[in-house]
Amino acid sequence: MHLFNTLSGQVEPLAPSDGATLRMYACGPTVYDYGHIGNFRTFLQVDVLRRFLRSQGIAVRHVMNVTDVDDKIIRNASAAGLAISDYTRKFEKAFFEDLDALQVEHPEVLARATEHIPAMVSLIERLAAQDIAYRAEDGSWYFRIARFPEYGKLSKKDFTGIADGARIDVDEYEKDSARDFALWKAPKPGEHRWDTPLGPGRPGWHIECSAMAMEYLGDSFDLHAGGEDLMFPHHENEIAQSESASHRIFSRHWFHVRFLLVEGRKMSKSEGNFYTLRDLLLRGYKPSAIRMLLISVPYRQQLNFTFEGLAAETVAVERLRTFRDRIEKTHWPQRPDAGDGLAVSDVAAAARESKARFTAALADDLNTAEARAAIFEMVRFVNARADAGALFESDKADVLDALRHFDRVFAVLDDHDAEWTRFTLNWAEREGRLQEAAPEVLATRDLSDAQIQALVDERSQAKRTRNFARADQIRNDLAAKGILIEDSKDGVRWRRK
RNA sequence: GCACCGAUGGCGAAGUGGCUAACGCGCUGGUCUGCAAAACCAGUAUUCGCGGGUUCAAUUCCCGCUCGGUGCUCCA
């Protein structure tokens, strides 16, 4: 496949350099709060990448870090009167629950910063041995940027002005250059600290990722991913640290996912358009629709997240699910003129073409918009043939195969939505946040499937006796609680809206 | 302020130097239905932010402008 590489500024082939396994590192969450939809756009796009690679038969070794110590965590934990690990554990757990709700595959390796302090220390020691890392008067360690001439090659910034190492003491600490960044931070009074050969303190953010990536993937690996904001300084610093230590190319390929807008504006707490995944689930939006929306706009485009768009994706996902059900569960007629049995029907041909177009679109820099268009075109065509009585049992395999292929990457066809909504409501109840749930969502919660089925059956009975007033009453009551009843030739079906 | 990215129908968006500008939603009409809803089908941009240029030909390339976003500081 081909993928844009931030480092070269070009779309380039991507393949495992060892010919077997694609080794990739993706910056994970800092677990100080619940994840928001912006976070998840990045994780979802990385998921699309790894799912597509795997669907193409490429093995993936994906390492993701969890930053479970940083300034914010230390501040919040002490404000809550908790040990750092007690504070972060809750949000780390919530993060993985959110990934599960969104059908995001877990990485092969999960690396917590606090469990890799020795690797970070030894990396800093390697740099210190070359005088690239130096200790400041307060006990913090810094990276000497003037010693890495390529600094800026990822973010395309020009730092030649500071390469002379002119001493600029604008900081509270004694750095040799204002641009030099912290590798190891001396502890402040009362702060959690690790006692190491470097002295007491805690790791800087950037050294974390370098140390853990190199520990699990080697000095040099295939791909490094993250949100666009991480390009500078985080990833630039990772490159500087790692390549200074190893004298090898750190990551060959850099994958950056663009930020999203919410209702046309930057998402921020002050704008009032800041949403965690859980906020949306409490409002009754489905995880499948959120996944579909966040995936459908190619990763290099800014995505405008709107509630109208989310509602649209809910319908789009439902249409695909209905289509699969229809194809799978209907007993289609045998083809009348099977003839030589070699000719490919127009339906089968359309399905194969759709599958090929889908794969080609994703192979072309992960064009998810084009890929899903290929599937929807097949859906429309096959539905039309089915309505015309020209869909046959022998076409089924190709159509379902194309859908399976689609869903290995998009992962929206299997319906886990109600399950996650219920999970989120239970969580909200424990957290005392149930009042944030939409009334319709709460109403549905108290209705078990059996109760709904009983009402649906009662309505069918009422219809049979032509008691339409009672039938309509039940239908309206259920609708008010978010339950939709659908009558079809094959019987009555209901679902949670 | 400096640097970079984007601007396509009501909304979200794909795409291309010339063929009918994908796809989803919405809307309108139809099929189905006791009526609805759902489901399905069909129709729905003489036009790609504005101005100029290059070209036989530009939405697509170049320049300027306007607007939106991002980085330069924590941020997915």
Side-chain angles (χ1 to χ4, degrees):
Chain A
M1 75 170 298
H2 290 253
L3 196 68
F4 183 80
N5 182 358
T6 310
L7 191 57
S8 67
Q10 290 178 331
V11 175
E12 295 177 346
L14 176 70
S17 53
D18 66 3
T21 303
L22 191 118
R23 287 167 295 148
M24 58 185 275
Y25 184 91
C27 288
T30 300
V31 283
Y32 67 96
D33 203 348
Y34 295 104
H36 60 254
I37 53 177
N39 297 122
F40 290 116
R41 180 187 196 201
T42 299
F43 295 119
L44 245 7
Q45 292 288 349
V46 171
D47 187 54
V48 166
L49 173 62
R50 60 166 285 147
R51 279 173 175 274
F52 180 63
L53 288 167
R54 280 155 50 80
S55 80
Q56 296 308 107
I58 297 171
V60 169
R61 178 169 167 85
H62 171 188
V63 178
M64 184 175 79
N65 70 297
V66 167
T67 299
D68 55 357
V69 55
D70 84 329
D71 291 337
K72 231 175 286 185
I73 288 172
I74 289 171
R75 194 176 60 232
N76 291 6
S78 87
L82 292 171
I84 287 177
S85 58
D86 290 330
Y87 178 79
T88 57
R89 191 178 306 131
K90 167 179 166 178
F91 293 112
E92 183 187 307
K93 180 166 173 282
F95 174 73
F96 282 100
E97 287 163 356
D98 288 352
L99 290 189
D100 288 341
L102 292 171
Q103 305 295 311
V104 174
E105 292 183 345
H106 288 213
E108 280 67 31
V109 177
L110 174 68
R112 292 185 188 87
T114 55
E115 294 169 4
H116 294 79
I117 304 290
M120 298 173 206
V121 169
S122 77
L123 181 55
I124 295 171
E125 286 173 330
R126 277 168 84 183
L127 294 170
Q130 303 177 66
D131 193 36
I132 292 171
Y134 62 92
R135 188 174 185 276
E137 282 164 27
D138 73 329
S140 294
W141 290 76
Y142 289 94
F143 183 94
R144 201 184 301 282
I145 287 184
R147 289 288 304 279
F148 190 68
E150 291 176 280
Y151 194 74
K153 67 178 176 179
L154 179 69
S155 52
K156 315 285 185 273
K157 290 177 193 297
D158 184 3
F159 291 96
T160 49
I162 62 159
D164 56 10
R167 200 176 171 96
I168 314 164
D169 283 340
V170 291
D171 266 74
E172 46 184 313
Y173 302 131
E174 299 289 305
K175 290 200 257 179
D176 284 3
S177 163
R179 279 285 180 189
D180 288 355
F181 57 88
L183 297 165
W184 185 260
K185 296 184 177 186
K188 298 193 181 92
E191 223 174 59
H192 185 86
R193 68 183 64 186
W194 281 266
D195 287 309
T196 73
L198 297 171
R202 62 197 168 84
W205 174 37
H206 315 300
I207 199 74
E208 249 184 56
C209 288
S210 283
M212 298 193 291
M214 291 163 89
E215 170 153 343
Y216 293 107
L217 299 173
D219 288 347
S220 195
F221 53 93
D222 297 314
L223 181 133
H224 194 126
E228 63 167 324
D229 58 308
L230 298 184
M231 216 161 92
F232 186 88
H234 184 55
H235 291 162
E236 199 72 70
N237 291 352
E238 283 186 54
I239 291 174
Q241 295 160 346
S242 306
E243 299 191 354
S244 292
S246 72
H247 302 289
R248 295 184 62 197
I249 296 290
F250 180 49
S251 174
R252 273 172 283 278
H253 217 109
W254 289 82
F255 176 79
H256 288 104
V257 180
R258 289 205 74 178
F259 272 19
L260 53 71
L261 303 180
V262 175
E263 304 288 351
R265 307 213 54 84
K266 181 179 177 170
M267 179 171 72
S268 74
K269 286 180 177 161
S270 57
E271 286 273 351
N273 63 354
F274 182 92
Y275 300 107
T276 65
L277 176 67
R278 291 166 190 235
D279 290 336
L280 298 180
L281 298 182
L282 284 180
R283 289 180 176 212
Y285 293 101
K286 297 177 174 184
S288 61
I290 297 168
R291 178 179 171 97
M292 190 73 163
L293 178 58
L294 261 22
I295 271 180
S296 290
V297 177
Y299 74 95
R300 281 210 284 154
Q301 285 300 318
Q302 205 163 48
L303 150 76
N304 187 12
F305 182 98
T306 65
F307 284 98
E308 192 184 345
L310 194 47
E313 293 309 305
T314 308
V315 176
V317 168
E318 198 54 43
R319 183 167 167 212
L320 294 174
R321 288 176 177 172
T322 304
F323 175 76
R324 184 175 70 175
D325 270 12
R326 179 186 196 193
I327 300 304
E328 218 165 40
K329 293 182 180 156
T330 307
H331 187 72
W332 303 99
Q334 293 302 325
R335 222 167 136 196
D337 56 341
D340 51 20
L342 291 176
V344 174
S345 72
D346 56 351
V347 169
R352 290 177 196 182
E353 190 193 318
S354 159
K355 178 176 167 180
R357 204 181 130 200
F358 177 84
T359 303
L362 290 181
D364 178 16
D365 199 23
L366 243 35
N367 189 341
T368 48
E370 167 74 17
R372 65 176 247 163
I375 290 302
F376 276 104
E377 271 179 5
M378 176 189 78
V379 169
R380 181 168 24 80
F381 180 77
V382 175
N383 268 324
R385 301 301 287 161
D387 286 357
L391 175 65
F392 304 108
E393 197 64 23
S394 55
D395 296 325
K396 220 165 159 169
D398 279 305
V399 174
L400 291 177
D401 179 59
L403 280 181
R404 248 191 319 273
H405 193 69
F406 159 81
D407 209 46
R408 278 180 76 171
V409 177
F410 275 68
V412 293
L413 292 182
D414 295 328
D415 189 349
H416 307 289
D417 293 327
E419 181 188 317
W420 282 105
T421 300
R422 213 171 302 125
F423 177 90
T424 306
L425 286 169
N426 291 340
W427 161 80
E429 186 168 34
R430 287 197 306 276
E431 293 283 315
R433 292 177 58 178
L434 210 48
Q435 76 281 356
E436 292 173 33
E440 201 179 70
V441 177
L442 284 171
T444 314
R445 181 198 192 200
D446 299 325
L447 226 45
S448 73
D449 287 6
Q451 284 172 305
I452 296 168
Q453 192 58 52
L455 286 166
V456 170
D457 290 344
E458 187 190 337
R459 170 173 171 274
S460 300
Q461 185 55 37
K463 275 177 67 180
R464 239 167 273 129
T465 58
R466 303 192 68 77
N467 182 356
F468 295 123
R470 175 62 187 151
D472 290 352
Q473 186 199 352
I474 292 172
R475 184 170 69 196
N476 292 337
D477 286 353
L478 284 175
K481 291 175 178 173
I483 309 295
L484 283 184
I485 295 186
E486 295 166 16
D487 295 330
S488 75
K489 313 118 225 141
D490 310 318
V492 186
R493 193 171 77 127
W494 66 265
R495 60 187 169 87
R496 296 173 192 267
K497 206 165 83 186

